[in-house]
Amino acid sequence: MLIVNNVSFQYDKKNVLNDVSFAINKGHIFAIIGESGCGKSTLLKLMYGLYDLNSGQIYWKDQEVLGPKYNLIPGMSYMKYLAQDFDLMPFITVAENVGKYLSNFYPEEKKERISELLEIVEMTEYANTKAKNLSGGQMQRVALARVLALEPEVLLLDEPFSHIDNFRKNSLRRKLFSYLKEKNITTIIATHDGTDVLSFADEVLVLRQGEKVVQKKPSELYQHPNSFYTASLFGEVNEISGQYFNEAENCFLFPHQLTIVENSTLKVEVVHSYFRGGHYLIETKQLENTIFFEHHNSIEMGTVVYLNKK
């Protein structure tokens, strides 16, 4: 188990993280999400031992994670950390980058391992290409393969799919997270992408301005968000007064959770219809509020409709 206990950190006298605590079971995929600048990347670096804590402790099993004050070479040997800058060697090939830390004592096993990793990140055809000739997304996939090479106990991923094309991203995510589960590698991913969280994470930690907001399973977080901020991390969301649904508190509803009905107290006027492939996203006005809902057809601007929860 990885334990983060009351961790606080300052950078240039500015609070970056404040009293953050959580625990991660071995083999789990744990997502950290939040707006830019909330402390996600800093938290990963602290968990890897790149910085010294101002207060608190971090443990993997019974071993404390310590920073540069205690380690000549920062970083923990049983962890691997994938930063956003990739750190590839530009003048050697993709295969050589991936196999950089693998032993040369068994060349056939090394070759097979490199091939396996390149297949996971869909870079087999670029094995003999020098890293300097790759695109940003291709470099990111090679960097992913390299951190997996020695099968770490703990893997820290900072926005691991940020440079990868959307058409390839979904396939890569499925292959990578399936592999991590199969190998029982404890994985912490800092991300702004709700798909990483909803489809693959066992648990989610929401950060805001360096503080822990909530920690839950992704399905619970999505279905019952505790705030507009939390809900907005998963896409377009509406904050609607609970009075329209006979509820005491405001409701945070995603567009697909609203539907047109014959009559209700929630009366809106259509402003625009956005084609989204399998449906239209309808933008409406209700008093001073903007409300979005999904519909199978476009709706003419100015049309008045009534909405309710599905």
Side-chain angles (χ1 to χ4, degrees):
M1 178 177 283
L2 193 148
I3 298 172
V4 174
N5 185 33
N6 301 119
V7 163
S8 295
F9 180 75
Q10 290 182 332
Y11 184 77
D12 287 341
K13 298 183 180 180
K14 178 184 177 182
N15 283 336
V16 180
L17 292 166
N18 184 34
D19 199 28
V20 176
S21 297
F22 56 90
I24 306 170
N25 291 324
K26 179 173 171 53
H28 273 204
I29 295 172
F30 188 89
I32 302 170
I33 61 172
E35 61 191 352
S36 297
C38 70
K40 300 188 299 292
S41 296
T42 300
L43 184 52
L44 286 193
K45 291 173 183 177
L46 290 169
M47 294 165 73
Y48 187 50
L50 293 182
Y51 298 149
D52 294 303
L53 301 175
N54 290 111
S55 62
Q57 303 86 31
I58 300 174
Y59 292 94
W60 169 245
K61 298 178 180 176
D62 295 325
Q63 184 176 353
E64 186 171 5
V65 176
L66 298 171
K69 286 182 182 177
Y70 304 90
N71 294 312
L72 183 62
I73 301 175
M76 310 307 290
S77 60
Y78 48 84
M79 293 187 182
K80 287 295 179 184
Y81 167 61
L82 178 62
Q84 296 187 44
D85 59 5
F86 314 148
D87 193 31
L88 298 180
M89 298 185 70
F91 298 105
I92 63 175
T93 68
V94 164
E96 289 167 336
N97 266 286
V98 173
K100 181 180 177 184
Y101 300 111
L102 294 174
S103 172
N104 292 316
F105 198 72
Y106 300 102
E108 285 303 314
E109 285 82 349
K110 178 177 179 176
K111 185 177 179 180
E112 289 176 9
R113 178 65 174 154
I114 292 170
S115 296
E116 177 190 20
L117 292 166
L118 290 180
E119 185 175 347
I120 291 170
V121 299
E122 301 179 356
M123 285 293 290
T124 301
E125 62 187 290
Y126 297 95
N128 297 316
T129 303
K130 289 186 178 179
K132 69 185 181 78
N133 296 322
L134 300 176
S135 68
Q138 290 168 337
M139 288 183 183
Q140 192 164 36
R141 284 148 59 195
V142 175
L144 268 170
R146 192 173 67 175
V147 296
L148 290 172
L150 294 176
E151 284 191 11
E153 294 182 64
V154 180
L155 180 61
L156 306 167
L157 302 174
D158 193 356
E159 300 285 2
F161 310 110
S162 58
H163 294 266
I164 296 170
D165 296 331
N166 286 331
F167 78 91
R168 192 180 296 276
K169 193 179 294 186
N170 291 332
S171 171
L172 179 58
R173 272 191 286 229
R174 287 192 293 269
K175 286 185 177 180
L176 176 64
F177 288 120
S178 175
Y179 177 84
L180 295 172
K181 276 294 186 182
E182 178 188 335
K183 298 296 183 179
N184 204 34
I185 296 172
T186 304
T187 304
I188 302 95
I189 173 173
T191 180
H192 68 278
D193 191 332
T195 307
D196 296 337
V197 175
L198 294 175
S199 300
F200 304 105
D202 295 297
E203 270 199 301
V204 186
L205 171 72
V206 177
L207 280 181
R208 187 177 193 185
Q209 295 179 352
E211 296 192 354
K212 176 180 174 179
V213 175
V214 65
Q215 177 185 344
K216 285 185 177 181
K217 292 181 179 179
S219 58
E220 294 173 356
L221 202 60
Y222 185 83
Q223 292 164 7
H224 306 288
N226 67 326
S227 67
F228 181 82
Y229 173 77
T230 297
S232 68
L233 297 172
F234 297 101
E236 200 78 61
V237 66
N238 305 295
E239 182 173 8
I240 303 174
S241 173
Q243 68 179 352
Y244 293 107
F245 311 113
N246 296 317
E247 297 181 17
E249 298 182 347
N250 285 1
C251 299
F252 307 110
L253 298 171
F254 297 102
H256 72 271
Q257 295 174 313
L258 289 169
T259 188
I260 294 177
V261 294
E262 188 174 330
N263 193 23
S264 75
T265 56
L266 185 54
K267 178 181 176 182
V268 298
E269 181 180 336
V270 173
V271 175
H272 203 285
S273 298
Y274 302 94
F275 182 59
R276 291 292 181 87
H279 65 272
Y280 284 83
L281 180 68
I282 312 298
E283 180 184 353
T284 69
K285 283 289 184 185
Q286 184 265 336
L287 300 178
E288 298 300 317
N289 301 320
T290 298
I291 295 177
F292 293 92
F293 70 95
E294 291 182 3
H295 196 59
H296 52 83
N297 290 323
S298 63
I299 302 176
E300 186 177 347
M301 185 176 65
T303 302
V304 173
V305 297
Y306 298 90
L307 301 177
N308 208 340
K309 290 200 294 185
K310 285 185 177 178

